[in-house]
Amino acid sequence: MPIYNTDIAAVFDEIADYLEIEGENPFRIRAYRNASRNIRGLGYELRYLVDQKEDLTQLPGIGKELAAKIVEILETGNARTLKKLQDRHPKTLRDILKLPNLGPKRVRVLYQDLKIKNLEQLIKAAKNGRIRAMPGFGARTEQQIMQVAEAHATKEKRFKIADVKPHVDSLTKYLEAVPGVNHVVAAGSYRRAKETVGDLDILVTARKNSLVMDHFADYDDVKEVLSKGTTRSSIALHNGLQVDLRLVEQSSFGAALQYFTGSQEHNIAIRRLGRQRGLKINEYGVFKFEKRVAGKTEASVYQAVDLPYLPPELRENRGEIEAARDGRLPKLIELSDLKGDLHIHTDYTDGRNSLREMALAAKQRGYKYIAATEHSDRLKIADGLDAPKLLKQTEEIDQLNEELKGIRILKGIEVEILVDGRLDLADNVLAKLDLVVGTIHHQFGLSLQKQTQRILRAMDHPHFTFLAHPTGRLINEREPYDVDMGQIIRKAQQRGCFLELNANPRRLDLYDTYCQMAKEEGVLVAINSDAHIVNALDHIHFGVGQARRGWLEKNDVLNTRPLQELQKLLKQTM
Ligand code: DGT
Ligand code: CA
Ligand code: CA
């Protein structure tokens, strides 16, 4: 698993927290906090710099000691300094530190004076009114702490789909190798291609006497066997992901797959349709007067309620059942429909591979075109391009296009949208390009109105092609900025420009529901990888999953167009 800047920053934050709890030197604490803030603000990943053996002490707030720690974290996933600090204190203290309204100063009081070491003790102390008496607290604070602690004690952790996929692949292979096993399918939210997965649901069919449950409990990566039975078992993996396994009979496979794929809301609606027809639908089959009438295949379940097969990505009870009934089901986009990638970075700025390498890798994936879209100058930290450097790159693109056959490199830029909505490069420079990708990497905290106006104004720019990762959210890391997507989608419609669905699994932004809105407004969506390295081109797969959840068809997506047609569409925006 790659280590991201946010992972490094989190280690530094945690070190600072512990140092503060221990009452350490404030300067040392501040150094960690500043470094963490600077690292989070970078527009590119530190691991690229380290891979290229660059000197990290050039970065603001990073001295020799912290630079060495960054390298250590990138290499080992952790820092010895943090491990030592963690060892000195109970593990559960971290749960308390993570609560939003409890800074380390307060945790220090709770821990050292009240001997509170975990969430349960915290909730109990709050209920007993022991916290309000402490200096710096009060009855209201105590009340707030209790509420937040209780919410956190029950809050589930969700995993990014890209972090779950390697486990699905490896578990599937492992279980398929067990003698007597027929089908192994990951169902649940994973099969519906949801951007995050709460737990993983695996469905298995096997011969009667197979030892699949034993093998499941013996899987390498098991941290804990939560339950083990003859038809259902649960394990927890080392990363905390829970995996539920269900073993069903071959004759129930379709019904079970339909049931465990969900969503629950979709299933409730399907069962209602069944009841209207005198049918009982459950994970074992479709029954009429106790007699099984369907359930071997998923399609047979849908057929029993007079519907065509519904792709898993649509099963959210967001109108798919009505659409299926009326023959209006979309023919969802597929990976093979994509003809190119319109958002990539190279070693010209903060990417890892050269433009030539990226282009050849794109060609190898069957693409016909790729757009070089480096960061603009404002993103100094990503070594963003100024006008002369950008023009130099366009010359290199001309040369590569002469030389390389079967793949066309388009000239683009990922240009910063300034706070007032202007773009970070002059019009006459942008006019020389094939596409201009507008983006926000700074000033996330503007009010809803200001942020929306900023983007709307940028979209009015005559050369604006599409808006990159429109909400700016990073899954589990950063909330979207406050922005009115309805207005932005309508603006794109009026202007004839486009929106990106960024396929980076940390982003998956445009969200599925906004894809649906864009489609309704007739705004084309560009599904792009935002790859900074060759392998990341394959993230596009997650973008396609999200697009399918958003009901998008081939024609709703900009980069399914053949090159000439694409160029015509791009010209209209330039
Ligand atoms: P998740 O795990 O939170 O990402 O979401 P899901 O959709 O995977 O939900 P999960 O793991 O609780 O259950 C998997 C599927 O099994 C769910 O999509 C529908 C089905 N299912 C589970 N429990 C129930 C239930 O109580 N009633 C119904 N109708 N279906 C259920
Ligand atoms: Ca699940
Ligand atoms: Ca489950």
Side-chain angles (χ1 to χ4, degrees), residues 281-406:
I281 302 177
N282 58 29
E283 62 264 54
Y284 305 106
V286 181
F287 299 87
K288 184 155 206 164
F289 308 122
E290 309 301 311
K291 182 175 178 290
R292 177 151 54 200
V293 293
K296 190 145 194 276
T297 65
E298 264 192 318
S300 75
V301 176
Y302 287 107
Q303 203 182 8
V305 291
D306 304 308
L307 292 178
Y309 175 83
L310 279 113
E313 296 92 336
L314 292 183
R315 301 183 196 169
E316 297 289 347
N317 200 24
R318 286 194 205 136
E320 73 278 10
I321 293 171
E322 295 75 6
R325 190 192 56 205
D326 302 345
R328 293 185 282 109
L329 269 190
K331 187 177 179 309
L332 298 180
I333 179 160
E334 291 177 25
L335 189 58
S336 57
D337 291 329
L338 293 179
K339 299 265 188 319
D341 196 324
L342 297 176
H343 186 168
I344 63 129
H345 298 267
T346 77
D347 60 6
Y348 238 75
T349 57
D350 62 341
R352 174 81 186 269
N353 292 99
S354 68
L355 186 50
R356 174 195 298 271
E357 287 165 342
M358 293 301 272
L360 289 174
K363 183 180 167 184
Q364 201 189 16
R365 284 158 176 76
Y367 289 153
K368 300 293 180 211
Y369 50 83
I370 192 166
T373 52
E374 309 288 9
H375 295 289
S376 69
D377 196 32
R378 173 82 179 51
L379 221 56
K380 288 274 188 299
I381 213 93
D383 207 8
L385 299 184
D386 55 14
K389 276 203 245 164
L390 176 59
L391 292 177
K392 188 163 162 268
Q393 192 189 41
T394 62
E395 284 164 22
E396 186 189 327
I397 292 176
D398 286 334
Q399 282 166 20
L400 280 171
N401 276 335
E402 285 276 307
E403 180 195 334
L404 302 178
K405 298 291 159 231

Side-chain angles (χ1 to χ4, degrees), residues 199-201 244:
D199 66 11
L200 182 59
D201 308 280
D244 297 340

